[in-house]
Amino acid sequence: MKSEPVVSIRIYALVFFTLLVLTALTTAIAFVDLGGGWNNVAALTIAVGKALLVILYFMHVRYSDKLTWVYLGAGFFWLLIMLGGIMEDIRKRPSLSPETASTATQSHTR
Amino acid sequence: MSKAETFRAHHFNDLEQQHSAAWIGMWVFLATEVMFFGGMFACYTVYRYWYAQAFGSASNHLDVWLGAINTVVLIGSSFTMALAVYNAETGRSKPLIYFLLLTIVLGLAFLGIKFFEYYTKFAEHLVPGSSFQYEGPLARQAEIFFSLYFAMTGMHAVHMIIGIGLLAALVLKARRGRFSALYHTPVELTGLYWHFVDIVWIFLFPLLYLLGRHL
Amino acid sequence: MSLPEIEHREHYLNINYGIRSWLLTTDHKRIAWLYLLSVTFFFFIGGLFATFVRLELMTPQGDLVQAETYNKLFTMHGVTMVFFFLIPGIPAVLGNFLVPMMIGARDLAFPRLNLASWYIFILGGAFTLTAAAAGGVDTGWTFYTPYSSIYSNTHVALTVVGVFITGFSSILTGLNFIVTIHKMRAPGMTWFRLPLFIWAHYATSIIFILGTPVIAITLVLVGLERIFRLGIFDPALGGDPVLFQHLFWFYSHPAVYIMVLPAMGVVSELIACFSRKRIFGYTVVAFASLAIAVIGFLVWGHHMFVSGQSVHAGMIFSLLSFLVAIPSAIKVFNWTATLYKGSVSYDAPMLYALGFIGLFTIGGLTGLFLATLGIDVHVHDTYFVVAHFHYIMVGGSVMGYLGGIHFWWPKMTGRTYPESWARLAALTIFIGFHLTFFPQFVLGYIGMPRRYHVYPPEFQVLNVMSTAGASILAVGYLLPLVYLIWSLRYGTVAGANPWGARGLEWQTPSPPPTENFDRTPVVTEGAYAYEKDPEEIYTFRKPAHV
């Protein structure tokens, strides 16, 4: 049983500070039109970066055994399988919603 | 038996095995949580792909500053949680309790801001259902956005409430001197859970609040 | 001279008496019994619903029940059987009892979570039975939207709450198995010395963990749509009902592997024991279990070929569905190769195992027809599909379950069951099964849709055959209920290893002591070492801890 801390306070503080910076960054970039879907890329990249910082340092994964990595990876990999499979269908067919429907009459009551 | 040994359950051979089992058990549980929230992220991805414009404009009805403040609050609570674990690892009971309480306070602050946001959406008639009102031809698609907004942040809030409950239980146990440098597994595992809930929000914030700001 | 008595040895059944010692137990073996009683109860409830379905289908007219009632009957049959018998079935009963014993552990990693999982199961079942008693659900066990989320006037919310809750029971069981298998194996029990039953349950647990949460959130969304009018699958808002189907089947297809993998694990144990041989190609079979679990997550779209899914996705899912058949086929080949030149005996468990191999093969092959886009267009939503999945779930999983119950009955109870009656029951089930479900392949092929309570008169003969078969099947299922209970009091006392098997669970008395082993086992050989004596495979050391 360990009686030494896994991560030092200094590293926690550095990670915290970085997370704040990244939060400010992603908020600021959001107001700038990067064109062509790059806003999405930027937002997701920063989010993944923040998540990795929390995972590796706050959750000690950087210092954990391989089995932890396996189950962490499995969760996210399976999520990608689900997203990928569904989107592979979605991107090949049109949506059900008329693009410019008027809201004048709705034929079904909710 | 040493004091630490009293914490070993009968079916384990030693504390090391018990801790190792608990740790990996928590990670397996977090994998299930990834898939649980993942279902809603899948719905979001689908409708964002089809209705990008409606989603963008609907998103701008959310208060980006409240969302950003909440993000900072939650990241702060992850920091205090990590410090709580640190103090559990080093056997410092009073700072442990202090940081657990601080985490709870930040968590409650997050929920307070969230429910204030919900209230403003209700007042603006942006809660899906019979009272939903939205200008323009994309109203129906915007209603899907708000359905996902409430479902995803609502489920996140439920997880936070559970987390706060777990933290309160930890405070009570810590006050009774249950944790030490040799045994503090519940603190570690609750920390993992809390950080996970933080990570969900790290993705929710840009996906729900930021997607239309550049439009 | 007094009659010989059972030795008054302390074991897990007699160590404590009283209802509290059962309802508050953390012993995995007692929890297995709690599950055994519960799933048996739900099996017969599900069977009751099936009885009414088959009675209605004896005639072409809808003369027994109204259409709406019929919809409720097949829905409740599906919900009960799938969520409350097939999915928990082997893992919660046999898995709970045997996983710790087979790896040489004293219990599962988290005994209290194990008990919690049973209470959660009961709570979920209570919600669902309440919904049934209050009038039932008519959406089909598949809960397709927008019918389930908006238009149905039945107790959808109550039922989805029940299924949602029960899902957590699955998740906890899977979590427990994974951690236990990773962390609590006895000294010398390396991964490739594990019985294939354990590999099968590990693979199943992966599916529990990664699949169940998806149906959980999907049912939450259906409930929210129904109660709060949150529009996610509502077409009037531009929502997509096919999205529901994607999310639903992302779990529900792997769920069928939850139902069949444990049965395959049982079959591996039975084939090895009753051929007195190692399983041919052990490593390949172990990896095939993992492959089934993983590839099984990639094929869900084959349930949606004609629902409005894009043809592009349909083609991908069709190809992947062909791939998933491969590891299953490998297992069938390997079991067959095990039988070759084995010393085969035909006790009841072996009859079930052999029945499994035959029926699962037929069910699996017809799955390939369904995976073929062109064929599926014609047979989707017909009795062809119904026959396909019943061959696998009933001909496969239920036979595996019964084979396992019979095989490990002496271990669990310390009693043997009457072998002649057991063989009769197995034979009755096999014959009844074929008569029930083979005609359904033909019915589907010639065009009878599923979920219809009326049909053209020319389909009647096959339907009557099917109903007749179902009544034989019912007799076959009732027989074990009677003689197994009878054996608890009047069965011959069983020794530690009545079958002469090689697994660790047979190296401890029947019934086992609460801690499973009096001394920690040390393993020196792989599983199924039938060419050696058990003493050459295992040694026991004095326990360092109790």
Side-chain angles (χ1 to χ4, degrees):
Chain A
M1 280 300 304
K2 54 184 188 306
S3 51
E4 293 299 314
V6 179
V7 178
S8 70
I9 295 187
R10 191 173 160 275
I11 293 187
Y12 284 145
L14 262 170
V15 169
F16 174 58
F17 181 69
T18 313
L19 288 169
L20 292 180
V21 168
L22 289 174
T23 304
L25 184 63
T26 194
T27 311
I29 290 186
F31 288 93
V32 178
D33 188 349
L34 302 175
W38 283 102
N39 279 87
N40 290 338
V41 175
L44 278 175
T45 308
I46 295 176
V48 168
K50 289 164 78 178
L52 275 175
L53 282 170
V54 174
I55 290 171
L56 290 172
Y57 293 101
F58 283 173
M59 297 172 90
H60 299 177
V61 170
R62 177 123 186 265
Y63 313 96
S64 294
D65 61 352
K66 227 173 13 148
L67 197 56
T68 307
W69 285 85
V70 166
Y71 274 95
L72 165 65
F76 283 105
F77 183 65
W78 248 254
L79 178 57
L80 289 179
I81 292 176
M82 185 166 66
L83 286 176
I86 294 177
M87 289 312 292
E88 195 59 17
D89 172 45
I90 296 298
R91 73 185 186 91
K92 287 290 187 175
R93 57 184 173 90
S95 73
L96 293 180
S97 174
E99 290 305 322
T100 53
S102 90
T103 51
T105 44
Q106 291 193 9
S107 57
H108 107 107
T109 49
R110 300 197 74 230
Chain B
M1 257 196 293
S2 70
K3 182 164 189 279
E5 272 289 302
T6 58
F7 296 113
R8 182 182 61 83
H10 74 102
H11 55 288
F12 288 112
N13 296 328
D14 51 58
L15 278 178
E16 173 70 46
Q17 188 190 38
Q18 178 174 281
H19 178 265
S20 180
W23 175 264
I24 200 65
M26 191 64 199
W27 275 102
V28 172
F29 174 70
L30 291 181
T32 73
E33 289 275 62
V34 169
M35 295 308 291
F36 186 68
F37 278 98
M40 289 192 288
F41 280 98
C43 292
Y44 173 91
T45 309
V46 169
Y47 291 123
R48 165 100 178 257
Y49 177 84
W50 275 340
Y51 308 139
Q53 195 188 348
F55 267 43
S57 78
S59 163
N60 289 338
H61 283 77
L62 296 177
D63 188 330
V64 67
W65 301 115
L66 286 183
I69 291 172
N70 251 354
T71 308
V72 168
V73 166
L74 204 50
I75 290 175
S77 76
S78 257
F79 183 42
T80 55
M81 185 73 225
L83 291 172
V85 173
Y86 177 90
N87 283 291
E89 288 167 342
T90 50
R92 296 198 211 127
S93 190
K94 269 199 158 33
L96 162 64
I97 296 173
Y98 171 69
F99 282 112
L100 287 174
L101 285 170
L102 199 48
T103 310
I104 292 176
V105 165
L106 290 171
L108 288 172
F110 177 95
L111 288 173
I113 297 175
K114 186 114 251 17
F115 291 129
F116 173 73
E117 280 187 272
Y118 281 358
Y119 173 72
T120 60
K121 294 293 147 281
F122 174 73
E124 291 163 23
H125 296 284
L126 290 175
V127 177
S130 42
S131 62
F132 185 80
Q133 289 171 25
Y134 193 89
E135 285 300 314
L138 303 175
R140 291 187 281 170
Q141 298 170 5
E143 192 168 356
I144 294 185
F145 174 84
F146 283 104
S147 295
L148 283 171
Y149 168 77
F150 281 104
M152 295 174 90
T153 59
M155 185 56 75
H156 178 261
V158 166
H159 279 76
M160 290 222 34
I161 294 170
I162 294 173
I164 290 172
L166 292 174
L167 287 166
L170 283 183
V171 167
L172 290 176
K173 284 192 164 178
R175 294 188 70 195
R176 275 186 256 134
R178 179 105 167 113
F179 303 125
S180 65
L182 278 173
Y183 175 76
H184 49 271
T185 312
V187 182
E188 287 180 80
L189 299 191
T190 307
L192 288 179
Y193 176 83
W194 192 260
H195 294 309
F196 172 78
V197 177
D198 183 23
I199 290 173
V200 173
W201 183 261
I202 283 174
F203 283 96
L204 287 182
F205 174 58
L207 292 176
L208 291 173
Y209 289 82
L210 299 183
L211 68 149
R213 302 291 156 183
H214 64 282
L215 292 172
Chain C
M1 187 168 127
S2 62
L3 291 166
E5 288 183 16
I6 304 161
E7 57 172 286
H8 286 288
R9 177 179 55 80
E10 192 178 78
H11 53 72
Y12 82 101
L13 289 170
N14 65 16
I15 191 166
N16 263 318
Y17 291 108
I19 196 92
R20 274 178 60 105
S21 74
W22 279 90
L23 293 182
L24 294 177
T25 184
T26 53
D27 181 353
H28 65 101
K29 300 181 290 299
R30 287 194 168 201
I31 294 172
W33 274 101
L34 293 176
Y35 268 110
L36 175 58
L37 294 176
S38 323
V39 302
T40 305
F41 169 74
F42 283 111
F43 178 75
F44 284 103
I45 298 277
L48 194 61
F49 289 123
T51 305
F52 285 109
V53 167
R54 287 290 355 141
L55 282 175
E56 169 63 83
L57 290 176
M58 271 181 52
T59 61
Q61 308 86 9
D63 39 19
L64 187 68
V65 293
Q66 295 176 335
E68 289 75 22
T69 311
Y70 185 80
N71 294 347
K72 294 178 186 178
L73 287 171
F74 68 69
T75 301
M76 297 314 299
H77 168 70
V79 169
T80 313
M81 285 304 204
V82 168
F83 294 113
F84 296 96
F85 175 71
L86 285 166
I87 285 177
I90 297 177
V93 178
L94 296 173
N96 262 327
F97 197 96
L98 295 167
V99 167
M101 298 196 69
M102 284 184 170
I103 66 175
R106 290 190 285 286
D107 208 311
L108 289 175
F110 308 116
R112 288 173 299 181
L113 282 187
N114 199 12
L115 182 66
S117 83
W118 181 73
Y119 276 104
I120 293 172
F121 175 75
I122 293 299
L123 183 62
F127 269 93
T128 309
L129 285 178
T130 304
V137 196
D138 64 352
T139 58
W141 79 275
T142 47
F143 297 113
Y144 276 13
T145 60
Y147 184 65
S148 65
S149 53
I150 301 175
Y151 299 107
S152 172
N153 289 321
T154 59
H155 298 280
V156 176
L158 205 51
T159 309
V160 301
V161 167
V163 175
F164 173 82
I165 292 173
T166 305
F168 286 100
S169 171
S170 288
I171 288 173
L172 289 178
T173 299
L175 193 155
N176 231 333
F177 285 171
I178 288 177
V179 178
T180 304
I181 295 171
H182 272 288
K183 297 290 179 185
M184 296 177 71
R185 285 169 282 128
M189 181 60 88
T190 60
W191 279 92
F192 291 101
R193 289 179 179 168
L194 288 167
L196 289 167
F197 181 91
I198 299 292
W199 279 98
H201 278 75
Y202 186 83
T204 306
S205 299
I206 293 177
I207 309 177
F208 273 138
I209 292 303
L210 296 171
T212 316
V214 178
I215 194 175
I217 192 64
T218 310
L219 294 177
V220 166
L221 292 175
V222 168
L224 289 178
E225 188 155 317
R226 206 168 156 81
I227 299 173
F228 296 111
R229 295 289 182 246
L230 249 50
I232 308 217
F233 307 120
D234 181 4
L237 292 177
D240 186 4
V242 179
L243 175 61
F244 169 84
Q245 295 181 29
H246 273 294
L247 293 170
F248 177 83
W249 287 112
F250 184 83
Y251 163 74
S252 298
H253 185 81
V256 313
Y257 298 110
I258 290 176
M259 301 177 215
V260 93
L261 273 171
M264 289 176 159
V266 171
V267 168
S268 289
E269 302 301 313
L270 301 182
I271 295 288
C273 178
F274 293 101
S275 314
R276 315 299 303 164
K277 262 182 84 180
R278 295 179 185 263
I279 291 288
F280 181 86
Y282 166 93
T283 312
V284 174
V285 176
F287 281 121
S289 295
L290 295 179
I292 290 172
V294 172
I295 305 177
F297 268 102
L298 305 178
V299 301
W300 74 88
H302 67 225
H303 297 269
M304 298 147 60
F305 285 152
V306 297
S307 303
Q309 180 177 255
S310 64
V311 177
H312 170 85
M315 291 193 296
I316 296 175
F317 282 119
S318 172
L319 176 64
L320 289 165
S321 302
F322 275 85
L323 290 182
V324 80
I326 295 175
S328 299
I330 287 176
K331 287 196 176 197
V332 173
F333 296 145
N334 284 28
W335 289 322
T336 311
T338 309
L339 292 169
Y340 178 66
K341 290 200 175 171
S343 175
V344 179
S345 50
Y346 296 96
D347 300 88
M350 184 59 154
L351 295 180
Y352 284 112
L354 295 172
F356 176 99
I357 296 176
L359 297 177
F360 172 78
T361 302
I362 295 174
L365 289 174
T366 53
L368 290 173
F369 303 154
L370 290 164
T372 311
L373 287 166
I375 298 179
D376 189 66
V377 169
H378 294 282
V379 294
H380 175 77
D381 266 350
T382 68
Y383 265 84
F384 193 90
V385 180
V386 175
H388 157 73
F389 62 69
H390 281 94
Y391 260 78
I392 307 204
M393 295 201 286
V394 182
S397 301
V398 179
M399 305 265 287
Y401 175 78
L402 289 173
I405 292 289
H406 283 78
F407 184 61
W408 282 291
W409 190 255
K411 178 56 56 185
M412 292 167 64
T413 61
R415 302 278 182 162
T416 49
Y417 59 82
E419 182 63 38
S420 312
W421 281 101
R423 289 182 187 175
L424 177 66
L427 207 56
T428 309
I429 289 173
F430 190 74
I431 293 171
F433 175 86
H434 273 296
L435 193 55
T436 310
F437 292 108
F438 197 84
Q440 294 185 7
F441 276 126
V442 182
L443 275 171
Y445 186 72
I446 61 179
M448 179 171 172
R450 64 186 288 200
R451 296 177 168 173
Y452 276 47
H453 75 314
V454 296
Y455 53 81
E458 53 264 33
F459 294 160
Q460 183 171 20
V461 173
L462 289 165
N463 270 295
V464 170
M465 283 173 67
S466 182
T467 302
S471 51
I472 298 173
L473 201 52
V475 170
Y477 288 138
L478 285 169
L479 283 173
L481 191 64
V482 172
Y483 65 69
L484 286 177
I485 295 177
W486 175 92
S487 79
L488 289 173
R489 185 152 160 87
Y490 301 106
T492 326
V493 171
N497 195 356
W499 305 112
R502 289 294 180 270
L504 250 181
E505 75 273 23
W506 300 105
Q507 313 310 321
T508 193
S510 307
T514 301
E515 298 271 307
N516 296 336
F517 302 94
D518 291 318
R519 293 177 297 159
T520 307
V522 178
V523 182
T524 57
E525 268 284 337
Y528 319 118
Y530 281 96
E531 70 282 1
K532 298 194 173 181
D533 287 327
E535 296 78 44
E536 303 175 63
I537 309 171
Y538 306 111
T539 57
F540 292 86
R541 62 156 81 131
K542 274 183 73 72
H545 304 278
V546 166

